[in-house]
C-alpha cells in the first residue's frame, strides 16, 4: 500500500510585521517626512520673503500665505467627510476635557512664525533666519518634551540635550557676528526669529496631541490655519485702521511667490503626524537639518543674498548641525 501523501500546507502569505518592526518603519518614515518638511519650510521662507519684498508689507504677505492655505483646506473640509469627522472629534474632546482649550490654538504660533518669516527673510536672508529659528526650536523643544506638552509624554532633560541647545545658540551667535552694525536692524529680526522658533516647538507639541484625537492630519492642519489666519487678520486690521497698511496686488511678483500657503499645509500636516512618532526634540532636529541645508542653497542661488553667505553664516550652520546630531543621541522617540 503506497504511503499516504500528506496534505499540502496552504500558503499562509507574507508574515505580518511585528509591532516593533511597524514602529521602526513609522519612525523612519517620520524622519524622512520631517527632513522634507524642513526643506519646505525654507522654500516657504523664500516665497513669503519675496512676496513681502514686492508688496513692501510683511503682514500682507503673511495674511496671503495663511489665507490661501486656509481656502484650500476649507474646500477639503467641505468635500471630505473624514476631515469633518476629525474636527468633530476635536470639539468633542475639548468639551469632555480630554483636550485643553489652549491645545487647540497652536495655529497662533504658526501665524507668528509666518509673520516673522515674511519680515525677517528680506532683511537677513533665509540662512540666518533659519539658524535663529533652529536655536529657538531646539531650546524650547527641551521644555516642551520635559513637561510632556507633546503626545509622547515627559522626557527628562539630560545634560547632552542642554549642551546641544547651548551649541545651537553658539551657532546663532556665530552667524550674526559678522553682520551686527550697531543699528539693531539685523539683531531685531534675529531675536524675533528666535521667538518664532520657540513658538514652532510648542506648536508641534500641541498639534501632536490634537492629531492624536482627530486622527486626520488635514483636520489638525485646518484648525491651525484657521487660528493663524484669524490672528494675522486682527493684526492686519489694526495696521489698516492705524493707516499703516495699504493692501495692493503688485504685478511684478513671480508666480512661485504666491505658493507659500501650500508649503505651509505640507509642513504643518507632516509635523502633526511625525511628532507623535519622534517626540518634539527629534522632530525639530530632523526639520532643522532640512531647513539649514535648503536655506544655504537658496541663499547661494539668489544674487541678492549670496554675499551674505560668508564664513560666519557657514560656521554657524556647521555648529548648529553638530548640535542637532548631539541632541539626536539623547532624543527618546515616542512609541505612542
Amino acid at each position: 500500500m503506497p504511503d499516504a501523501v500528506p496534505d499540502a500546507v496552504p500558503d499562509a502569505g507574507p508574515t505580518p510585521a511585528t509591532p516593533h518592526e511597524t514602529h521602526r518603519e513609522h519612525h523612519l518614515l517620520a524622519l524622512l517626512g520631517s527632513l522634507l518638511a524642513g526643506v519646505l519650510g525654507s522654500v516657504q521662507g523664500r516665497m513669503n520673503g519675496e512676496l513681502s519684498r514686492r508688496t513692501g508689507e510683511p503682514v500682507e504677505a503673511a495674511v496671503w500665505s495663511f489665507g490661501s492655505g486656509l481656502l484650500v483646506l476649507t474646500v477639503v473640509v467641505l468635500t471630505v467627510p473624514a476631515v469633518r469627522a476629525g474636527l468633530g472629534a476635536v470639539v468633542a474632546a475639548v468639551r469632555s476635557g480630554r483636550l485643553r482649550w489652549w491645545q487647540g490654538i497652536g495655529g497662533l504660533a504658526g501665524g507668528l512664525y509666518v509673520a516673522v518669516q515674511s519680515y525677517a527673510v528680506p532683511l537677513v536672508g533665509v540662512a540666518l533666519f533659519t539658524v535663529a529659528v533652529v536655536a529657538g526650536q531646539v531650546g524650547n523643544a527641551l521644555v516642551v518634551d520635559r513637561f510632556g506638552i507633546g503626545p509622547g509624554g515627559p522626557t527628562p532633560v539630560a545634560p547632552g540635550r542642554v549642551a546641544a541647545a547651548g551649541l545651537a545658540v553658539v551657532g546663532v551667535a556665530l552667524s550674526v557676528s559678522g553682520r551686527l552694525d550697531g543699528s539693531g536692524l539685523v539683531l531685531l529680526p534675529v531675536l524675533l526669529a528666535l521667538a518664532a522658533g520657540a513658538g514652532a516647538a510648542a506648536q508641534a507639541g500641541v498639534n501632536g496631541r490634537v492629531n492624536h484625537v482627530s486622527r486626520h492630519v488635514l483636520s489638525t492642519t485646518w484648525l491651525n490655519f484657521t487660528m493663524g489666519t484669524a490672528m494675522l487678520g486682527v493684526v492686519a486690521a489694526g495696521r489698516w485702521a492705524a493707516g499703516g497698511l495699504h493692501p495692493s496686488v503688485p504685478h511684478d511678483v513671480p508666480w512661485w511667490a504666491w505658493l507659500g500657503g501650500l508649503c505651509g499645509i505640507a509642513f504643518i500636516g507632516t509635523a502633526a503626524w511625525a511628532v507623535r512618532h519622534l517626540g518634539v526634540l527629534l522632530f525639530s532636529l530632523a526639520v532643522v537639518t532640512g531647513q539649514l541645508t535648503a536655506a544655504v542653497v537658496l541663499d547661494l542661488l539668489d544674487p541678492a543674498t549670496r554675499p551674505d553667505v560668508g564664513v560666519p553664516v557657514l560656521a554657524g550652520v556647521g555648529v548648529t548641525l553638530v548640535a542637532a546630531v548631539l541632541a539626536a543621541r539623547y532624543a527618546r522617540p515616542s512609541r505612542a
Side-chain angles (χ1 to χ4, degrees):
M1 183 176 181
D3 294 335
V5 178
D7 294 335
V9 178
D11 184 7
T15 304
T18 66
H20 179 67
E21 291 172 335
T22 301
H23 169 71
R24 288 180 59 188
E25 291 173 0
H26 287 170
H27 187 75
L28 178 59
L29 186 59
L31 278 174
L32 294 176
S34 300
L35 286 168
L36 178 59
V39 173
L40 290 175
S42 286
V43 172
Q44 183 191 36
R46 181 72 176 87
M47 292 173 174
N48 290 343
E50 181 67 17
L51 187 58
S52 173
R53 188 174 69 84
R54 300 280 184 163
T55 62
E57 179 52 63
V59 173
E60 186 176 336
V63 169
W64 166 260
S65 182
F66 253 78
S68 60
L70 177 61
L71 180 62
V72 171
L73 287 167
T74 299
V75 172
V76 174
V77 168
L78 294 176
T79 55
V80 181
V83 180
R84 294 198 301 274
L87 290 172
V90 172
V91 172
V94 172
R95 288 177 175 173
S96 67
R98 288 179 59 207
L99 279 178
R100 303 294 182 89
W101 65 269
W102 53 267
Q103 292 173 321
I105 61 174
L108 298 181
L112 170 67
Y113 182 95
V114 172
V116 172
Q117 183 185 67
S118 300
Y119 162 72
V121 167
L123 296 177
V124 301
V126 181
L128 183 51
F129 168 80
T130 302
V131 171
V133 165
V134 164
Q137 279 181 307
V138 172
N140 200 38
L142 293 173
V143 178
V144 171
D145 277 347
R146 170 64 182 84
F147 290 99
I149 295 175
T155 302
V157 179
R161 289 182 161 215
V162 176
L167 271 180
V169 174
V170 170
V172 174
L174 282 173
S175 298
V176 177
S177 62
R179 303 191 58 195
L180 291 178
D181 56 8
S183 66
L185 294 180
V186 173
L187 186 59
L188 178 59
V190 167
L191 291 176
L192 289 174
L194 282 166
Q203 181 188 19
V206 296
N207 281 355
R209 286 192 175 272
V210 171
N211 199 66
H212 185 65
V213 171
S214 72
R215 298 293 180 180
H216 205 298
V217 293
L218 292 181
S219 303
T220 306
T221 307
W222 183 88
L223 184 61
N224 271 255
F225 270 78
T226 299
M227 293 295 171
T229 303
M231 187 270 280
L232 291 170
V234 170
V235 173
R239 285 186 53 78
W240 177 78
L245 182 64
H246 306 282
S248 62
V249 181
H251 300 290
D252 59 344
V253 178
W255 64 269
W256 49 264
W258 299 102
L259 304 180
L262 298 181
C263 288
I265 291 174
F267 183 93
I268 294 176
T270 301
W273 174 78
V275 74
R276 181 184 176 196
H277 300 281
L278 302 178
V280 176
L281 179 60
L282 187 52
F283 163 77
S284 297
L285 296 172
V287 168
V288 162
T289 303
Q291 278 180 315
L292 288 175
T293 303
V296 172
V297 171
L298 289 171
D299 273 356
L300 288 174
L301 291 175
D302 185 354
T305 55
R306 189 178 301 144
D308 297 331
V309 185
V311 173
V313 170
L314 293 177
V317 168
V319 171
T320 307
L321 286 176
V322 171
V325 173
L326 176 63
R329 294 186 57 191
Y330 297 92
R332 178 179 58 84
S334 167
R335 294 181 178 271

